[in-house]
Amino acid sequence: MLVGCDFSSSPSKRKPIVIALGSVKQGRVQLQELLRFETLDAWSQWLAQPINWIGGFDLPFGLPRELVETLNWPTEWPACMQHYAFLSREEIREQFKAFCDARPVGQKFAHRQTDGPAGSSPSMKWVNPPVAFMLHAGVPRLIAAGVTLPGMYVPPVTSGFQRIGLEAYPGLLARELIGNQSYKSDDKAKQTPERLIARKQMLQALEVGQTRLGLQLKLTHAQHDSLVADASGDCLDAVLCMVQAAWACEQHMGGHDCYGLPLFDPLEGWIVSA
């Protein structure tokens, strides 16, 4: 089974975590259903279910090595994540702000090696978007659920089920499909006809397979209309993550041990398909 996850570090009824479930066969990616979770605990319970899946999760799996070394944190990923999980969000904000304040203008944030090719935000950002808190909320729960993170982490005790977690980034695929057009907003005043048209264009490109991933998305009419109508873009982002997971699945089936990921720094992680 394929999983695509649009994540929130503070989910709610208004802004739930969205999971897209689907499958891939011979380059055709079929969306099956969309699930919504209004709490982190509900999402954690779903993760721990005894089923096999390959999932793309829209949250960073690691921090920049430069940041970790400067703060004198553990440089082995499991120990670093354990240290990070024990900090409060306020402690994270204070330490990261102090790091940025000590650096010159234009170089405030440290970056991971994957940020350049993926065009992603630094995983240490605590606002707009608060990806540092997404890592803090999400990764410990993936570890607790016994999820394998290729190239980074293998659980010490196997459950007998294969659950593979990959760091995904919907913006990477979205830019390939429609350039830098904006297609979503949580602000109702910004949910414009132009953004609606952009979502339609994106789905049309996905359905005909106009991506370097070589995949075609298959939707029912109702699914298509639902994705277009979701002006927040959360459901569409979950589907984009699912498509990235489908590409990784195809790579693995084709003999790539690490799901299409290149050699990368296991402390930092890598965004799938970047």
Side-chain angles (χ1 to χ4, degrees):
M1 182 168 67
L2 295 177
V3 171
C5 178
D6 180 67
F7 189 71
S8 169
S9 57
S10 301
S12 63
K13 189 167 187 175
R14 188 188 69 80
K15 187 75 174 173
I17 296 169
V18 181
I19 280 185
L21 299 180
S23 60
V24 61
K25 189 175 182 181
Q26 296 178 329
R28 294 157 72 93
V29 184
Q30 183 78 53
L31 175 64
Q32 291 166 352
E33 65 175 320
L34 291 163
L35 308 176
R36 294 168 177 81
F37 302 92
E38 296 174 10
T39 67
L40 288 166
D41 285 346
W43 180 70
S44 297
Q45 288 166 13
W46 185 88
L47 285 178
Q49 288 184 105
I51 48 178
N52 297 320
W53 47 255
I54 295 174
F57 294 82
D58 181 19
L59 68 145
F61 282 6
L63 292 163
R65 179 171 288 277
E66 182 185 6
L67 171 72
V68 172
E69 290 179 346
T70 301
L71 295 177
N72 202 27
W73 290 0
T75 53
E76 294 296 321
W77 187 84
C80 184
M81 289 300 103
Q82 186 176 37
H83 175 83
Y84 194 60
F86 278 124
L87 299 173
S88 68
R89 291 189 184 183
E90 185 55 34
E91 287 170 329
I92 291 166
R93 193 191 72 80
E94 286 174 0
Q95 292 193 43
F96 287 5
K97 185 175 184 302
F99 174 91
C100 292
D101 288 347
R103 288 161 66 92
V105 174
Q107 299 172 42
K108 293 294 185 183
F109 291 104
H111 289 264
R112 297 183 296 161
Q113 290 185 7
T114 194
D115 289 339
S120 51
S121 295
S123 62
M124 65 173 294
K125 279 190 78 174
W126 60 90
V127 289
N128 299 327
V131 283
F133 298 154
M134 291 164 71
L135 190 161
H136 185 256
V139 167
R141 287 172 166 84
L142 289 170
I143 294 171
V147 177
T148 296
L149 310 182
M152 301 181 77
Y153 177 75
V154 177
V157 179
T158 58
S159 62
F161 295 91
Q162 190 179 49
R163 288 166 296 173
I164 303 296
L166 299 155
E167 180 179 340
Y169 176 42
L172 173 61
L173 184 51
R175 280 196 302 274
E176 187 189 336
L177 296 165
I178 59 167
N180 289 321
Q181 289 184 78
S182 176
Y183 62 94
K184 61 180 181 176
S185 179
D186 288 329
D187 182 348
K188 284 214 172 347
K190 295 179 180 177
Q191 294 174 352
T192 59
E194 289 78 16
R195 288 186 168 94
L196 178 110
I197 291 167
R199 291 194 296 280
K200 286 182 177 178
Q201 290 173 339
M202 190 184 300
L203 284 173
Q204 182 181 14
L206 281 169
E207 288 179 304
V208 298
Q210 285 180 347
T211 85
R212 63 185 172 82
L213 303 185
L215 299 168
Q216 276 185 290
L217 179 64
K218 297 298 173 187
L219 302 170
T220 65
H221 291 304
Q223 287 171 340
H224 180 281
D225 292 348
S226 172
L227 291 171
V228 168
D230 176 22
S232 73
D234 295 345
C235 295
L236 184 49
D237 281 349
V239 169
L240 292 173
C241 290
M242 182 188 73
V243 172
Q244 290 176 321
W247 177 83
C249 181
E250 296 268 89
Q251 298 300 304
H252 186 65
M253 297 291 283
H256 195 293
D257 288 342
C258 206
Y259 296 85
L261 301 175
L263 284 173
F264 65 92
D265 185 337
L267 178 64
E268 293 192 342
W270 194 268
I271 291 167
V272 67
S273 79

